[in-house]
Amino acid sequence: AMKTVFKMSVFWLGTLLLMTGAWAAEGWQSITDPVKVFEEGYIQVIGVSEEGECRFKAMRAATVVAQRDLLEIMEGLRLYGETTVKDGMLQSDTIRTSVEGIVRGAMKCGEKYHDSRGYAEVCMRVHIRGKGGMYDVILPLIQEKKLMPKESSYYKPKLIPKAMTEETATPEPAKPAPAEEIRKVVKEAPQEAKPEVTEPSKLTVVYDGLIVDVRDYQFKPALVNTILTDKEEVVFDPSKILSEILVERGCGGFTTDPSKAKALLESWGSRKPMTVKGIGVIKTTNAKVSTDDAAAIYVHDKKSNLLANAKVVFLLK
């Protein structure tokens, strides 16, 4: 009977240790994939020292390994288009010293020393958003427009006649369409209602958030993502975002799940987001939208300031 109790105790002790190990592994999760990094808003790594060292040396060695890994992952993040943070560090001393400073100041999210084999594990994390994060570092460069490769023209819709925006002028009355034309338009109309495009003051429903569906393309999250028309006119870029919002939120959110996209916008105060389908991608970080969708974004933004508040989520595959 005593043997049976002993065996049962060993079994449950082993199970408890396995559960504890699983919990620790779950608690210390590496977040290094760029999509996941931009989705979560931080990089997380676990540095491991060599075996056979005293606690102090092992902890120090594991910290150095973690910092090296953090720097490597940060260097691999995209700044804009094909330009990485590493490219930016080579081009700008400001970026280089700031990135190195961020890594040196990285916070520990856990540490553990294994007496039996004399090695240490250190979990370290670097935030890309918030005070002291990557967006905080590149904010002056964005404000000075040093990160954009060329001077781009900003989109303004031609769908709204100039007369419609001038109080003194009155628009010409629209000619009534023949009955067969009306039937044809109604028959061909898409099932899902398109965002209304009219004068911002006359919108009956105002959209206050934007989901850009780029699941059909190889779109990559970056520190600088933009939305362009097919003529490469800029609909949205970081210069449109309020400084404090850019530091806290970046160029918007990223997710592979439509319901998460809506939940994220809701957490930012968006009650009625619109979804537009991307029609292409330029240099992997710039989403192209149709002229009609660009016009809708423009007029709804005039009413809700969704772009200045970075209430934009890119839906990735």
Side-chain angles (χ1 to χ4, degrees), residues 10-207:
V10 170
F11 170 78
W12 285 113
L13 180 62
T15 306
L16 183 64
L17 287 169
L18 282 170
M19 286 169 68
T20 307
W23 179 86
E26 191 181 336
W28 287 12
Q29 185 186 5
S30 291
I31 296 173
T32 58
D33 175 72
V35 173
K36 194 76 176 165
V37 166
F38 280 103
E39 195 172 344
E40 297 296 331
Y42 59 85
I43 302 164
Q44 186 163 294
V45 298
I46 294 114
V48 182
S49 73
E50 291 182 4
E51 292 186 8
E53 294 181 330
C54 69
R55 184 185 180 89
F56 175 76
K57 281 188 175 180
M59 285 293 183
R60 190 166 179 175
T63 301
V64 169
V65 170
Q67 287 177 328
R68 184 195 66 206
D69 290 350
L70 281 174
L71 181 60
E72 191 179 317
I73 292 149
M74 282 184 79
E75 286 179 340
L77 293 180
R78 288 168 189 267
L79 265 177
Y80 178 89
E82 300 297 332
T83 305
T84 63
V85 170
K86 187 174 184 177
D87 298 329
M89 289 169 74
L90 293 171
Q91 292 163 17
S92 163
D93 285 340
T94 306
I95 295 178
R96 181 178 56 77
T97 53
S98 300
V99 167
E100 288 169 355
I102 289 172
V103 171
R104 280 196 301 273
M107 61 179 276
K108 284 185 181 178
C109 39
E111 58 181 27
K112 189 175 182 182
Y113 179 66
H114 302 268
D115 288 288
S116 57
R117 287 156 62 187
Y119 76 96
E121 291 177 280
V122 171
C123 174
M124 294 193 87
R125 180 186 292 183
V126 157
H127 288 269
I128 60 170
R129 303 190 191 105
K131 193 71 180 165
M134 278 300 295
Y135 282 105
D136 202 7
V137 166
I138 66 169
L139 180 62
L141 298 171
I142 286 171
Q143 288 170 334
E144 294 161 24
K145 299 199 173 180
K146 287 184 178 176
L147 285 182
M148 309 299 276
K150 62 178 181 179
E151 200 62 44
S152 307
S153 60
Y154 283 88
Y155 170 78
K156 196 165 185 181
K158 295 176 179 67
L159 295 179
I160 305 167
K162 195 178 178 189
M164 294 288 279
T165 59
E166 294 174 2
E167 290 178 20
T168 52
T170 50
E172 286 183 24
K175 291 177 184 177
E180 61 266 26
E181 279 297 308
I182 293 169
R183 278 197 295 272
K184 187 181 175 187
V185 169
V186 170
K187 192 177 178 182
E188 291 176 359
Q191 293 298 309
E192 194 176 323
K194 278 264 186 190
E196 195 179 344
V197 181
T198 180
E199 287 179 82
S201 60
K202 293 187 177 179
L203 288 173
T204 53
V205 175
V206 177
Y207 289 91

Side-chain angles (χ1 to χ4, degrees), residues 14 31 33 107 127 134 163 205 215 223 255 276 288-289 299 316:
I31 296 173
D33 175 72
M107 61 179 276
H127 288 269
M134 278 300 295
V205 175
R215 286 177 293 179
L223 289 161
T255 184
V276 302
K288 274 203 301 186
V289 296
V299 296
L316 317 173

